[in-house]
Structure formats: C-alpha cells, structure tokens
Amino acid sequence: RAFIADLVPQGARGSAYAVFHTIVGLGVIVGGYTLGHIWDTLSPSAAFHLASVGSLLGFLILLILLVSDKRGKSLQLYHQKYT
C-alpha cells in the first residue's frame, strides 16, 4: 500500500486503493479456487509449485516496474523518505 501512495497523487489515492484491494480480493478468490482444484485433481505438490511460480512472477514484474521507471520517481521518493 505504501508503494501505491508513492505512485499516485494524493487526490486519487482513495480510488487507487479501491482498485488495488478489488484486484487483491478477486485474486484471492480465483487463486484459492484454482489451487484447491489443482490440489484435489493433481497433487498438493503441484499446487505449491504453481503458487511459487506465481510468487516469482509477481516479484519479477515488480522488479521490472521499479527498474524501468524512466523518471526514477519511485526510487527518488524511496531515497528521500528513508535515507
């Protein structure tokens, strides 16, 4: 949530948080159903492997977004707040 506050202007934060939490909620519902189905039909190991691949993919997307920020805005804000 702090990352959203750094990226979105103050007047639009309420909408940004609403979109963020909607996406997270839908992801939890769909992910739980999907992994439960994989757990029951394939194996518990397959469900854990798929979850770990999803986590790695999310990490890589976040890393790409941080590095490719051409303006450097998010990194500048981080350094201003924490250094």
Side-chain angles (χ1 to χ4, degrees):
R1 289 182 285 178
F3 188 62
I4 293 172
D6 289 343
L7 294 177
V8 179
Q10 188 171 0
R13 286 186 186 160
S15 297
Y17 286 132
V19 169
F20 171 75
H21 287 292
T22 299
I23 292 171
V24 168
L26 291 173
V28 167
I29 292 169
V30 172
Y33 175 78
T34 303
L35 288 178
H37 182 69
I38 290 171
W39 183 290
D40 289 339
T41 57
L42 296 175
S43 70
S45 177
F48 279 108
H49 282 94
L50 182 61
S52 65
V53 168
S55 295
L56 179 62
L57 183 62
F59 169 74
L60 291 175
I61 290 171
L62 180 62
L63 187 63
I64 289 168
L65 288 173
L66 285 173
V67 170
S68 68
D69 187 6
K70 292 184 178 27
R71 296 171 293 158
K73 177 182 172 187
S74 60
L75 295 177
Q76 288 173 359
L77 287 172
Y78 176 81
H79 288 296
Q80 287 174 357
K81 285 184 176 182
Y82 302 110
T83 57

